[in-house]
Amino acid sequence: MQYLALVGTNSVEGSKGIYTVTFSDEKDMQITSTVDALNAGFLAVRADKKYVYATRENMIFRTHACGGIGAYSIGPDGVLSFVNEQDVAGQLPCYVSVDSAGKYVFVASYLNGCVSIHKISPDGSVGPVFKVLQHSYAFGIHPSVHCVAVTPDQKYICVLDVTVHRIVFYDLAQESFAHV
């Protein structure tokens, strides 16, 4: 059996960005393609497996004080093609997820304690920031959002704030993104 994996990397010591890797039950693994993607540390594949979204874990992205999100189409052989990229609301984005309908990309930004919500176009491209879920200081401690995920029933967005050790839920079902 042949398997395919996408591996995002931080761009240090010669890393190129995102690697397409194939391997089999016999464990022979090889890199079949790469695509340049600066600090693409975390990836999320859309449910239809046609697109992948990659964080750009930066303090400065495209001359702005923020990180970014990149969109790539996935070819039948696993080769990625750049679609577009957008700024996110915060610095050091560290996690990305996509709802099962493929309508939204959610990006957690560690340094600023926020989640950027982006709409996904039919061509898989990511739109500019649509909405920001900003966590606030608690007990004098700066928020640090580390993960954002959609519940299996697609009703809520769960956001992990590691500084205050809590999971915060937001309404996705009504697309209000209200805190619940």
Side-chain angles (χ1 to χ4, degrees), residues 35-119:
V35 64
D36 288 337
L38 181 65
N39 293 331
F42 202 90
L43 308 176
V45 176
R46 201 165 81 170
D48 64 8
K49 297 183 174 47
K50 292 182 179 180
Y51 299 95
V52 62
Y53 301 92
T55 59
R56 301 295 180 82
E57 294 183 50
N58 299 325
M59 297 283 288
I60 305 294
F61 183 69
R62 302 187 316 173
T63 72
H64 302 123
C66 63
I69 183 74
Y72 301 85
S73 62
I74 304 171
D77 53 359
V79 174
L80 301 182
S81 297
F82 178 76
V83 175
N84 80 322
E85 60 189 7
Q86 293 285 348
D87 295 349
V88 298
Q91 295 173 310
L92 298 179
C94 57
Y95 200 95
V96 59
S97 60
V98 183
D99 68 315
S100 66
K103 290 176 60 176
Y104 298 104
V105 171
F106 307 98
V107 183
S109 291
Y110 183 79
L111 188 64
N112 300 83
C114 66
V115 172
S116 299
I117 302 174
H118 301 257
K119 289 184 177 182

Side-chain angles (χ1 to χ4, degrees), residues 18 43 57 71 78 84 141 143 160 162 170:
I18 305 173
L43 308 176
E57 294 183 50
N84 80 322
I141 300 171
L160 173 64
V162 296
Y170 295 92

Side-chain angles (χ1 to χ4, degrees), residues 127-150:
V129 174
F130 168 69
K131 182 152 182 85
V132 178
L133 305 176
Q134 179 65 58
H135 284 206
S136 57
Y137 281 78
F139 314 109
I141 300 171
H142 187 278
S144 296
V145 172
H146 200 267
C147 179
V148 56
V150 180

